[in-house]
Amino acid sequence: ACLRSALALFLACGLLAQDAAGHPQPPQEKPSGNGALLDKAKSLLRTPYRRGGSGPSGFDCSGFVRHVFGTFGVLLSRCSHSQAREGMPVDLEQIRPGDLLFFRSAPKSSRISHVGIYLGNGEFTQASAWGPKGTRGIRIAKLFDAYHGSRLTAARRVLSEEEARAVQASAAQAK
């Protein structure tokens, strides 16, 4: 019921497209030059969750995002609610890989308490404190699952097209 409510809300607000059969679909994405940034984020999968963590031995959500972007010289604030004011706002129907996604602590709350990096195809990467022991940490999640779909509140783009291409080029040169 919760998933249906979240999906109905996204559909009613025009935030989620439907296919011909009426099934929810992730937003259509424009290609981005954020491949190197996304590769860096994915290279950290299974790194443990550590409250206040901002280094390779463990991350919290904002520390993870800050670390990934910092690898490419993009300095972000340390807290998710501060990161939610950086870059340019993006309509949720216009998100593309590399955008930051922000979530509320509870469906009816206005407080931003979590951030992740959009990977594309309705998936994002995050540092999660929840789940069975051994699964907490950097992982890929579905953007429109019952939990995240009801809490997604905003998206921001911190890299311009030109900056994204520069990140990609510098990563290619480093190989």
Side-chain angles (χ1 to χ4, degrees):
C2 182
L3 176 59
R4 260 184 266 150
S5 298
L7 291 174
L9 176 65
F10 279 106
L11 291 168
C13 295
L15 298 178
L16 189 62
Q18 297 178 35
D19 65 13
H23 298 105
Q25 299 294 306
Q28 292 297 315
E29 297 150 10
K30 293 182 178 176
S32 74
N34 291 329
L37 186 132
L38 301 179
D39 288 345
K40 175 62 179 177
K42 289 190 250 183
S43 77
L44 297 168
L45 288 173
R46 292 178 290 287
T47 301
Y49 179 86
R50 194 175 92 219
R51 184 179 177 97
S54 60
S57 63
F59 295 100
D60 66 8
C61 64
S62 58
F64 166 65
V65 167
R66 186 172 196 232
H67 178 82
V68 169
F69 279 82
T71 300
F72 299 99
V74 179
L75 302 179
L76 296 175
S77 298
R78 180 60 187 93
C79 299
S80 58
H81 61 274
S82 296
Q83 291 174 350
R85 294 188 297 269
E86 298 186 56
M88 300 297 296
V90 177
D91 288 333
L92 293 175
E93 61 191 26
Q94 298 294 319
I95 59 176
R96 66 177 184 227
D99 287 345
L100 301 184
L101 302 173
F102 296 94
F103 303 86
R104 300 174 292 222
S105 53
K108 295 181 181 179
S109 172
S110 62
R111 183 178 178 278
I112 289 176
S113 60
H114 189 61
V115 61
I117 302 170
Y118 189 59
L119 296 173
N121 299 318
E123 295 183 328
F124 71 103
T125 187
Q126 63 173 334
S128 178
W130 304 104
K133 197 167 188 159
T135 66
R136 299 174 197 150
I138 308 301
R139 64 183 185 196
I140 293 174
K142 297 287 184 191
L143 183 56
F144 298 111
D145 66 15
Y147 183 84
H148 296 102
S150 66
R151 290 166 172 79
L152 177 63
T153 188
R156 305 287 287 196
R157 186 164 295 145
V158 295
L159 292 178
S160 68
E161 288 288 334
E162 185 176 316
E163 290 168 321
R165 282 192 296 274
V167 163
Q168 190 67 26
S170 70
Q173 288 177 349
K175 287 184 179 181

